[in-house]
Amino acid sequence: MNWKHLTFYTRNWQIYLWPQIVYGHWTYLNKDPGRIEVMDYMHTARSVEDRLLSYRKDESGWKTCKKTNDVVVYWRPSCEFAGYVYKGEGIVNGSPEKVWDCLKPEINGLRVKWDANIKKFELLEQVSADVSVCRTVTPSAAMGIISPRDFVDVISIKRYEDGTVSSNATNVSHPNCPPQPGYVRGFNHPCGCFCVPVPGEPGKTQLFSFFQTDLGGLLPRSVVDSFFPTSMVEFYSNLTKAVKSLK
Protein backbone atom coordinates (compact mmCIF):
# COMPACT_ATOMS: atom_id res chain seq x y z
CA MET A 1 0.00 0.00 0.00
CA ASN A 2 1.33 3.40 -1.01
CA TRP A 3 -1.40 5.61 0.46
CA LYS A 4 -0.09 8.27 2.83
CA HIS A 5 -3.08 8.33 5.15
CA LEU A 6 -6.82 8.01 5.34
CA THR A 7 -9.19 10.40 7.07
CA PHE A 8 -12.77 9.64 7.97
CA TYR A 9 -15.46 11.19 10.13
CA THR A 10 -17.92 9.60 12.47
CA ARG A 11 -20.67 11.45 14.37
CA ASN A 12 -18.38 12.51 17.21
CA TRP A 13 -14.87 11.72 16.03
CA GLN A 14 -12.51 12.81 13.30
CA ILE A 15 -9.78 10.17 13.07
CA TYR A 16 -6.60 10.01 11.05
CA LEU A 17 -5.58 6.44 10.27
CA TRP A 18 -2.37 4.95 8.95
CA PRO A 19 -3.07 2.43 6.17
CA GLN A 20 -1.18 -0.43 7.75
CA ILE A 21 -3.11 -3.60 8.37
CA VAL A 22 -2.31 -5.41 11.58
CA TYR A 23 -4.31 -8.58 12.18
CA GLY A 24 -6.90 -7.26 9.76
CA HIS A 25 -7.47 -3.89 11.53
CA TRP A 26 -6.52 -0.28 10.77
CA THR A 27 -4.01 1.25 13.18
CA TYR A 28 -3.89 4.84 14.39
CA LEU A 29 -1.42 7.22 12.83
CA ASN A 30 -1.67 9.42 15.92
CA LYS A 31 -1.98 7.40 19.12
CA ASP A 32 -2.60 10.44 21.32
CA PRO A 33 -6.39 10.31 21.91
CA GLY A 34 -6.38 13.82 23.37
CA ARG A 35 -5.11 15.22 20.10
CA ILE A 36 -7.78 13.36 18.17
CA GLU A 37 -10.49 14.85 20.41
CA VAL A 38 -9.20 18.40 19.93
CA MET A 39 -9.11 17.97 16.17
CA ASP A 40 -12.70 16.74 16.25
CA TYR A 41 -14.04 19.56 18.42
CA MET A 42 -12.38 22.18 16.23
CA HIS A 43 -13.77 20.61 13.07
CA THR A 44 -17.27 20.41 14.59
CA ALA A 45 -17.07 24.03 15.77
CA ARG A 46 -16.17 25.33 12.33
CA SER A 47 -18.91 23.25 10.73
CA VAL A 48 -21.60 24.61 13.05
CA GLU A 49 -20.45 28.18 12.34
CA ASP A 50 -21.08 27.56 8.65
CA ARG A 51 -24.43 25.91 9.33
CA LEU A 52 -25.69 28.78 11.50
CA LEU A 53 -24.62 31.34 8.90
CA SER A 54 -26.56 29.40 6.25
CA TYR A 55 -29.66 29.48 8.47
CA ARG A 56 -29.36 33.24 8.76
CA LYS A 57 -28.96 33.74 5.01
CA ASP A 58 -31.64 31.27 3.88
CA GLU A 59 -35.07 32.94 3.94
CA SER A 60 -36.96 30.01 2.43
CA GLY A 61 -39.47 27.86 4.25
CA TRP A 62 -39.83 29.91 7.46
CA LYS A 63 -43.34 30.30 8.86
CA THR A 64 -44.34 32.74 11.58
CA CYS A 65 -45.48 30.97 14.75
CA LYS A 66 -45.39 33.76 17.36
CA LYS A 67 -45.01 37.54 17.34
CA THR A 68 -44.60 40.20 20.04
CA ASN A 69 -43.18 43.72 20.22
CA ASP A 70 -39.76 42.22 21.03
CA VAL A 71 -39.45 39.36 18.56
CA VAL A 72 -40.92 37.45 15.65
CA VAL A 73 -40.48 33.69 15.98
CA TYR A 74 -40.41 31.48 12.89
CA TRP A 75 -40.14 27.74 12.41
CA ARG A 76 -39.54 25.20 9.70
CA PRO A 77 -38.80 21.45 9.62
CA SER A 78 -35.29 20.57 10.73
CA CYS A 79 -32.88 18.75 8.45
CA GLU A 80 -31.03 17.46 11.53
CA PHE A 81 -33.73 15.52 13.40
CA ALA A 82 -37.47 14.84 13.45
CA GLY A 83 -38.42 18.24 14.84
CA TYR A 84 -38.25 21.93 14.03
CA VAL A 85 -35.60 24.61 13.84
CA TYR A 86 -36.80 27.91 15.32
CA LYS A 87 -35.60 31.38 14.36
CA GLY A 88 -36.08 34.50 16.44
CA GLU A 89 -35.54 37.97 14.98
CA GLY A 90 -35.83 41.22 16.88
CA ILE A 91 -34.25 44.57 17.74
CA VAL A 92 -32.85 44.93 21.26
CA ASN A 93 -32.42 48.40 22.74
CA GLY A 94 -28.75 48.26 23.65
CA SER A 95 -25.38 48.40 21.95
CA PRO A 96 -23.98 45.18 20.48
CA GLU A 97 -21.35 45.19 23.24
CA LYS A 98 -23.99 45.25 26.00
CA VAL A 99 -26.18 42.67 24.30
CA TRP A 100 -23.19 40.38 23.81
CA ASP A 101 -22.17 40.80 27.45
CA CYS A 102 -25.55 39.36 28.40
CA LEU A 103 -25.42 36.53 25.86
CA LYS A 104 -21.85 35.29 25.76
CA PRO A 105 -21.39 31.76 27.04
CA GLU A 106 -19.02 32.05 29.98
CA ILE A 107 -18.74 30.58 33.44
CA ASN A 108 -20.33 32.84 36.07
CA GLY A 109 -21.47 35.16 33.28
CA LEU A 110 -24.62 37.25 33.07
CA ARG A 111 -26.54 34.67 31.01
CA VAL A 112 -27.20 32.37 33.96
CA LYS A 113 -28.60 35.28 35.97
CA TRP A 114 -31.33 36.37 33.55
CA ASP A 115 -32.05 33.38 31.29
CA ALA A 116 -34.83 31.38 32.95
CA ASN A 117 -33.94 28.32 30.86
CA ILE A 118 -30.39 28.01 32.18
CA LYS A 119 -29.84 26.76 35.72
CA LYS A 120 -26.13 25.93 35.50
CA PHE A 121 -23.35 26.36 32.96
CA GLU A 122 -20.13 24.36 33.32
CA LEU A 123 -16.88 24.37 31.36
CA LEU A 124 -15.71 20.86 30.51
CA GLU A 125 -12.80 21.75 28.23
CA GLN A 126 -11.28 24.92 26.77
CA VAL A 127 -10.30 23.72 23.31
CA SER A 128 -8.96 27.06 22.03
CA ALA A 129 -9.43 30.77 22.68
CA ASP A 130 -12.81 30.75 20.92
CA VAL A 131 -13.92 27.11 21.20
CA SER A 132 -15.01 25.26 24.34
CA VAL A 133 -16.97 22.20 25.39
CA CYS A 134 -19.62 22.97 28.01
CA ARG A 135 -22.46 21.38 29.96
CA THR A 136 -25.71 23.31 30.35
CA VAL A 137 -28.34 22.34 32.91
CA THR A 138 -31.94 23.47 32.44
CA PRO A 139 -34.71 23.51 35.07
CA SER A 140 -38.07 21.81 34.78
CA ALA A 141 -40.51 23.61 32.50
CA ALA A 142 -44.08 23.61 31.23
CA MET A 143 -45.52 23.24 34.72
CA GLY A 144 -43.23 20.31 35.43
CA ILE A 145 -44.15 18.32 32.34
CA ILE A 146 -40.59 18.83 31.04
CA SER A 147 -38.20 17.55 33.70
CA PRO A 148 -34.65 18.95 34.19
CA ARG A 149 -32.35 18.41 31.22
CA ASP A 150 -28.64 18.65 30.59
CA PHE A 151 -26.78 19.25 27.34
CA VAL A 152 -23.15 18.83 26.31
CA ASP A 153 -22.11 21.08 23.43
CA VAL A 154 -19.11 22.40 21.61
CA ILE A 155 -19.48 26.19 21.51
CA SER A 156 -17.59 28.59 19.27
CA ILE A 157 -17.46 32.38 19.17
CA LYS A 158 -17.02 34.06 15.80
CA ARG A 159 -16.55 37.74 15.00
CA TYR A 160 -17.27 39.21 11.59
CA GLU A 161 -15.79 42.26 9.86
CA ASP A 162 -19.05 44.25 10.13
CA GLY A 163 -18.98 43.96 13.93
CA THR A 164 -21.35 41.00 14.17
CA VAL A 165 -20.59 38.48 16.90
CA SER A 166 -22.05 34.98 16.87
CA SER A 167 -22.28 32.13 19.33
CA ASN A 168 -22.56 28.72 17.66
CA ALA A 169 -23.21 25.37 19.32
CA THR A 170 -24.07 21.74 18.68
CA ASN A 171 -24.10 18.53 20.67
CA VAL A 172 -20.97 16.44 21.24
CA SER A 173 -19.90 13.78 23.71
CA HIS A 174 -17.17 14.30 26.29
CA PRO A 175 -15.40 11.62 28.34
CA ASN A 176 -15.77 13.66 31.55
CA CYS A 177 -19.53 14.08 31.24
CA PRO A 178 -21.60 10.94 30.73
CA PRO A 179 -25.36 11.15 31.35
CA GLN A 180 -26.04 12.33 34.89
CA PRO A 181 -28.58 10.93 37.40
CA GLY A 182 -31.61 13.18 37.78
CA TYR A 183 -31.32 14.71 34.30
CA VAL A 184 -32.58 13.67 30.88
CA ARG A 185 -29.77 14.15 28.36
CA GLY A 186 -30.97 16.38 25.55
CA PHE A 187 -29.27 17.19 22.27
CA ASN A 188 -28.81 20.62 20.75
CA HIS A 189 -28.51 20.49 16.99
CA PRO A 190 -26.86 23.52 15.32
CA CYS A 191 -28.08 26.53 17.30
CA GLY A 192 -26.88 29.93 18.47
CA CYS A 193 -27.29 33.64 17.90
CA PHE A 194 -26.00 36.63 15.94
CA CYS A 195 -25.59 40.09 17.49
CA VAL A 196 -25.68 42.43 14.50
CA PRO A 197 -24.98 46.19 14.68
CA VAL A 198 -27.78 48.38 13.34
CA PRO A 199 -26.30 50.92 10.87
CA GLY A 200 -26.64 54.48 12.16
CA GLU A 201 -28.09 53.36 15.51
CA PRO A 202 -25.23 52.40 17.86
CA GLY A 203 -27.67 51.97 20.75
CA LYS A 204 -29.55 49.15 19.05
CA THR A 205 -28.74 45.54 18.12
CA GLN A 206 -30.44 43.22 15.70
CA LEU A 207 -30.52 39.77 17.28
CA PHE A 208 -31.04 36.57 15.34
CA SER A 209 -31.39 33.42 17.43
CA PHE A 210 -31.72 29.80 16.37
CA PHE A 211 -32.93 26.94 18.54
CA GLN A 212 -32.99 23.33 17.36
CA THR A 213 -33.24 20.99 20.32
CA ASP A 214 -34.14 17.37 20.83
CA LEU A 215 -35.32 17.39 24.45
CA GLY A 216 -35.17 13.61 24.72
CA GLY A 217 -37.55 11.58 26.86
CA LEU A 218 -41.13 10.68 26.03
CA LEU A 219 -42.72 14.11 25.73
CA PRO A 220 -46.00 14.75 23.89
CA ARG A 221 -45.27 16.46 20.61
CA SER A 222 -47.85 19.16 21.38
CA VAL A 223 -45.92 20.12 24.54
CA VAL A 224 -42.64 20.42 22.67
CA ASP A 225 -44.16 22.38 19.78
CA SER A 226 -45.74 24.95 22.11
CA PHE A 227 -42.79 25.19 24.49
CA PHE A 228 -40.12 26.57 22.16
CA PRO A 229 -41.97 29.56 20.65
CA THR A 230 -43.16 30.62 24.10
CA SER A 231 -39.68 30.10 25.53
CA MET A 232 -38.10 32.25 22.80
CA VAL A 233 -40.51 35.11 23.44
CA GLU A 234 -39.57 34.94 27.12
CA PHE A 235 -35.89 34.82 26.13
CA TYR A 236 -36.10 38.11 24.21
CA SER A 237 -38.18 39.80 26.90
CA ASN A 238 -35.76 38.82 29.68
CA LEU A 239 -32.75 39.75 27.57
CA THR A 240 -34.19 43.22 26.94
CA LYS A 241 -34.64 43.72 30.68
CA ALA A 242 -31.12 42.45 31.41
CA VAL A 243 -29.54 44.79 28.85
CA LYS A 244 -31.53 47.74 30.22
CA SER A 245 -30.26 47.01 33.73
CA LEU A 246 -26.62 47.34 32.67
CA LYS A 247 -24.96 50.66 33.42
Side-chain angles (χ1 to χ4, degrees):
M1 296 183 182
N2 296 319
W3 308 327
K4 291 184 178 180
H5 67 271
L6 174 68
T7 305
F8 74 89
Y9 300 92
T10 67
R11 183 166 180 250
N12 288 318
W13 296 95
Q14 175 188 2
I15 303 176
Y16 288 79
L17 299 180
W18 185 257
Q20 175 185 359
I21 296 179
V22 179
Y23 303 115
H25 298 280
W26 293 98
T27 60
Y28 289 105
L29 170 62
N30 171 20
K31 296 185 179 181
D32 177 1
R35 183 179 171 189
I36 294 173
E37 282 185 21
V38 169
M39 294 169 68
D40 171 69
Y41 291 141
M42 291 299 293
H43 169 78
T44 304
R46 300 313 174 211
S47 295
V48 76
E49 289 172 0
D50 293 340
R51 183 61 60 88
L52 260 292
L53 186 60
S54 74
Y55 290 168
R56 180 185 164 192
K57 291 181 176 180
D58 184 4
E59 297 291 338
S60 63
W62 296 105
K63 296 182 179 179
T64 302
C65 59
K66 212 166 188 65
K67 185 176 183 180
T68 69
N69 292 332
D70 296 316
V71 60
V72 180
V73 180
Y74 307 87
W75 61 359
R76 72 182 185 190
S78 169
C79 295
E80 305 288 338
F81 77 118
Y84 293 98
V85 53
Y86 296 87
K87 177 176 72 169
E89 183 176 348
I91 299 294
V92 179
N93 288 320
S95 67
E97 293 77 17
K98 286 187 175 182
V99 174
W100 178 245
D101 281 345
C102 290
L103 288 172
K104 60 185 175 184
E106 62 179 0
I107 307 304
N108 299 319
L110 295 175
R111 179 77 177 265
V112 178
K113 297 177 180 179
W114 65 263
D115 192 336
N117 287 316
I118 297 181
K119 185 175 181 180
K120 186 186 298 184
F121 186 71
E122 302 172 346
L123 176 67
L124 299 176
E125 182 175 340
Q126 191 68 50
V127 180
S128 70
D130 62 350
V131 175
S132 59
V133 180
C134 299
R135 174 178 181 251
T136 304
V137 175
T138 63
S140 62
M143 300 179 67
I145 297 175
I146 301 175
S147 59
R149 259 65 176 166
D150 74 344
F151 303 84
V152 176
D153 302 293
V154 62
I155 303 174
S156 71
I157 308 303
K158 185 168 183 178
R159 298 180 181 275
Y160 295 83
E161 292 183 357
D162 67 349
T164 295
V165 184
S166 70
S167 173
N168 315 267
T170 194
N171 73 88
V172 293
S173 59
H174 194 278
N176 294 337
C177 194
Q180 306 290 310
Y183 299 96
V184 175
R185 177 59 53 90
F187 299 93
N188 285 319
H189 296 281
C191 58
C193 63
F194 292 84
C195 292
V196 183
V198 177
E201 298 190 71
K204 292 186 178 182
T205 303
Q206 186 176 27
L207 179 65
F208 295 91
S209 61
F210 298 91
F211 290 83
Q212 190 172 201
T213 301
D214 179 355
L215 289 173
L218 301 176
L219 292 171
R221 185 58 180 265
S222 60
V223 172
V224 175
D225 290 348
S226 64
F227 169 72
F228 282 107
T230 301
S231 176
M232 291 178 70
V233 167
E234 182 182 23
F235 172 86
Y236 274 77
S237 176
N238 289 342
L239 172 61
T240 298
K241 294 174 185 176
V243 172
K244 187 177 181 180
S245 70
L246 295 180
K247 295 181 180 179

